[in-house]
Amino acid sequence: MLTVPVRQLGETERSAVMRVLDSDPYATAQVAERITAHGLSWWRSDGRIYGYGARRHLESLLWSGAHLTPILATPPAVEAFAELIAGEHRVCSSIVGRADAVLGLWDRLAGAWDQAREIRPNQPILATGEPPSVRPDPAVRLAENSEIDLIFPAAVAMYTEEVGVSPLADGGGSGYKRRVAELVRSRRTYVRIENRQVVFKAELAVVTPHTAQVQGVWVNPAWRGLGLAAPAMAAVVTDALRRVAPTVSLYVNDYNHAARRVYARCGFRSAGTFATILF
């Protein structure tokens, strides 16, 4: 029997939740942005958030939505969260967060849930707050609304290459295109386009007061190996630091050595380790 019960949190505990999120701003950025946008009331949120710890001392959180994300989850909290959700039908497409908590949670859920499609146990979290020493590519710029149809195939190619399945599968195409369009209209998508062909793209997929989190970095295969990536990323970082947030962050698969070299050249440094369980 749990000595410290897990409970679903609501809007009245929003300030306590934000204090926990603010204490780990790079790893919790995705959840922080959602809560800032939608609050914690179930009818306005796209997920539920659970808390572990005494009512006056919230220790750990678990976000349960399209992704399952443990936050500052100590081993007792991981145990409690696993006990809470092991009997539920899985609705998330992934478990993602700091590696120790994600892998600990999966150890306890693997027997109750269906088999994972892929486990990525070591994804370095990287961050920078300094302008890159690499000269930014002047051809990299914010995408325009009129270019959404041009950008969409590049976004699909990036997602399929990164995740291993197409975002168009199972009727997901319209929702994915809405997301691509939303990022463009929010001035979060960067591109370099040559002869109406996207040769580089990246997005500020998550923005909080602490950080702009870069995702969806992609270089057209025909342009790889030409030294385009580092100046292009330098352009993204330079603009994001100037216009959006005091730091820029991302996470990357440990085996993606080419990308890690690019990020190191652009001044990114280690801020911990993520893990992702994909279904």
Side-chain angles (χ1 to χ4, degrees), residues 141 144 146-151 153-154 192-199 220 223:
R141 57 174 174 78
E144 299 175 0
S146 61
E147 296 169 323
I148 290 170
D149 287 342
L150 196 64
I151 294 166
R192 176 173 169 177
I193 297 177
E194 301 290 343
N195 298 319
R196 293 192 57 77
Q197 183 181 49
V198 177
V199 300
N220 189 311
W223 288 69

Coordinates of all heavy atoms in Angstrom, one line a residue, residues 141 144 146-151 153-154 192-199 220 223:
R141 N 15.8 31.3 -42.9 CA 14.9 32.4 -42.5 C 13.6 31.8 -41.9 O 13.4 30.5 -42.0 CB 14.5 33.3 -43.7 CG 14.0 32.4 -44.9 CD 13.5 33.3 -46.0 NE 13.1 32.5 -47.2 CZ 11.9 31.8 -47.3 NH1 11.1 31.8 -46.3 NH2 11.6 31.1 -48.4
E144 N 7.2 31.3 -44.5 CA 6.1 32.1 -44.8 C 4.8 31.2 -44.9 O 4.9 30.1 -45.3 CB 6.3 32.9 -46.0 CG 7.5 33.9 -45.9 CD 7.8 34.6 -47.2 OE1 7.0 34.4 -48.2 OE2 8.8 35.4 -47.3
S146 N 2.6 31.2 -47.1 CA 2.4 30.7 -48.4 C 3.3 29.5 -48.8 O 3.1 28.9 -49.8 CB 2.7 31.8 -49.4 OG 4.1 32.2 -49.3
E147 N 4.2 29.1 -47.9 CA 5.1 28.0 -48.1 C 4.7 26.7 -47.4 O 5.4 25.7 -47.4 CB 6.5 28.4 -47.7 CG 7.1 29.5 -48.6 CD 8.4 30.1 -48.1 OE1 8.5 30.2 -46.8 OE2 9.2 30.5 -48.9
I148 N 3.6 26.7 -46.7 CA 3.2 25.5 -45.9 C 3.1 24.3 -46.8 O 3.6 23.2 -46.4 CB 1.8 25.8 -45.2 CG1 2.0 26.9 -44.1 CG2 1.2 24.5 -44.6 CD1 0.7 27.4 -43.5
D149 N 2.5 24.4 -48.0 CA 2.4 23.2 -48.8 C 3.7 22.7 -49.3 O 3.9 21.5 -49.6 CB 1.5 23.5 -50.0 CG 0.0 23.6 -49.6 OD1 -0.4 23.1 -48.6 OD2 -0.8 24.2 -50.4
L150 N 4.7 23.6 -49.4 CA 6.0 23.3 -49.8 C 6.8 22.6 -48.7 O 7.6 21.7 -48.9 CB 6.8 24.6 -50.2 CG 8.1 24.4 -51.1 CD1 7.8 23.8 -52.4 CD2 8.7 25.8 -51.3
I151 N 6.5 23.1 -47.5 CA 7.2 22.6 -46.3 C 6.7 21.2 -45.8 O 7.4 20.4 -45.3 CB 7.1 23.6 -45.1 CG1 7.9 24.8 -45.5 CG2 7.6 23.0 -43.8 CD1 7.6 26.0 -44.6
P153 N 5.8 18.3 -47.2 CA 6.5 17.0 -47.6 C 7.8 16.9 -46.9 O 8.2 15.7 -46.5 CB 6.7 17.1 -49.1 CG 5.6 18.1 -49.5 CD 5.5 19.1 -48.4
A154 N 8.5 18.0 -46.6 CA 9.8 17.9 -45.9 C 9.6 17.5 -44.5 O 10.3 16.7 -43.9 CB 10.5 19.2 -46.0
R192 N 15.5 26.9 -45.3 CA 16.3 27.4 -46.4 C 15.7 26.7 -47.6 O 15.6 25.4 -47.7 CB 17.7 27.0 -46.3 CG 18.5 27.5 -47.6 CD 20.0 27.3 -47.4 NE 20.7 27.5 -48.7 CZ 22.0 27.5 -48.8 NH1 22.8 27.3 -47.8 NH2 22.6 27.6 -50.0
I193 N 15.2 27.5 -48.6 CA 14.6 27.0 -49.8 C 15.4 27.4 -51.0 O 15.7 28.6 -51.1 CB 13.1 27.5 -49.8 CG1 12.3 26.9 -48.6 CG2 12.4 27.0 -51.2 CD1 10.9 27.4 -48.6
E194 N 15.6 26.4 -51.9 CA 16.3 26.7 -53.1 C 15.5 26.1 -54.3 O 15.2 24.9 -54.3 CB 17.7 26.0 -53.1 CG 18.7 26.5 -52.0 CD 19.1 28.0 -52.1 OE1 19.0 28.5 -53.3 OE2 19.6 28.5 -51.2
N195 N 15.2 27.0 -55.2 CA 14.4 26.5 -56.4 C 13.1 25.8 -56.0 O 12.8 24.7 -56.5 CB 15.3 25.6 -57.3 CG 16.4 26.4 -57.9 OD1 16.3 27.6 -58.2 ND2 17.6 25.7 -57.9
R196 N 12.4 26.3 -55.0 CA 11.2 25.8 -54.5 C 11.4 24.4 -53.9 O 10.4 23.6 -53.8 CB 10.1 25.8 -55.5 CG 9.6 27.2 -55.9 CD 8.4 27.1 -56.7 NE 7.2 26.5 -56.0 CZ 6.5 27.0 -55.0 NH1 6.8 28.3 -54.6 NH2 5.5 26.4 -54.5
Q197 N 12.6 24.1 -53.4 CA 12.9 22.9 -52.7 C 13.4 23.2 -51.3 O 14.4 23.9 -51.2 CB 13.9 22.0 -53.5 CG 14.2 20.7 -52.9 CD 15.2 19.9 -53.7 OE1 16.3 20.5 -54.1 NE2 14.9 18.7 -54.0
V198 N 12.8 22.6 -50.3 CA 13.3 22.8 -48.9 C 14.6 22.0 -48.8 O 14.6 20.7 -49.0 CB 12.3 22.3 -47.9 CG1 12.8 22.4 -46.5 CG2 11.0 23.1 -48.0
V199 N 15.7 22.7 -48.5 CA 17.0 22.0 -48.3 C 17.3 21.9 -46.8 O 18.2 21.1 -46.4 CB 18.1 22.6 -49.1 CG1 17.7 22.6 -50.6 CG2 18.3 24.1 -48.6
N220 N 17.8 18.1 -46.4 CA 17.5 17.3 -47.6 C 18.6 16.4 -47.9 O 19.8 16.8 -48.0 CB 17.2 18.3 -48.8 CG 16.6 17.6 -50.0 OD1 17.1 16.6 -50.4 ND2 15.6 18.2 -50.5
W223 N 21.5 17.4 -50.1 CA 22.3 18.5 -49.6 C 23.2 18.0 -48.4 O 23.9 18.9 -47.9 CB 21.5 19.7 -49.3 CG 20.9 20.4 -50.4 CD1 19.9 19.9 -51.3 CD2 21.3 21.7 -51.0 NE1 19.6 20.8 -52.2 CE2 20.5 21.9 -52.1 CE3 22.2 22.6 -50.6 CZ2 20.5 23.1 -52.8 CZ3 22.3 23.8 -51.3 CH2 21.5 24.0 -52.4

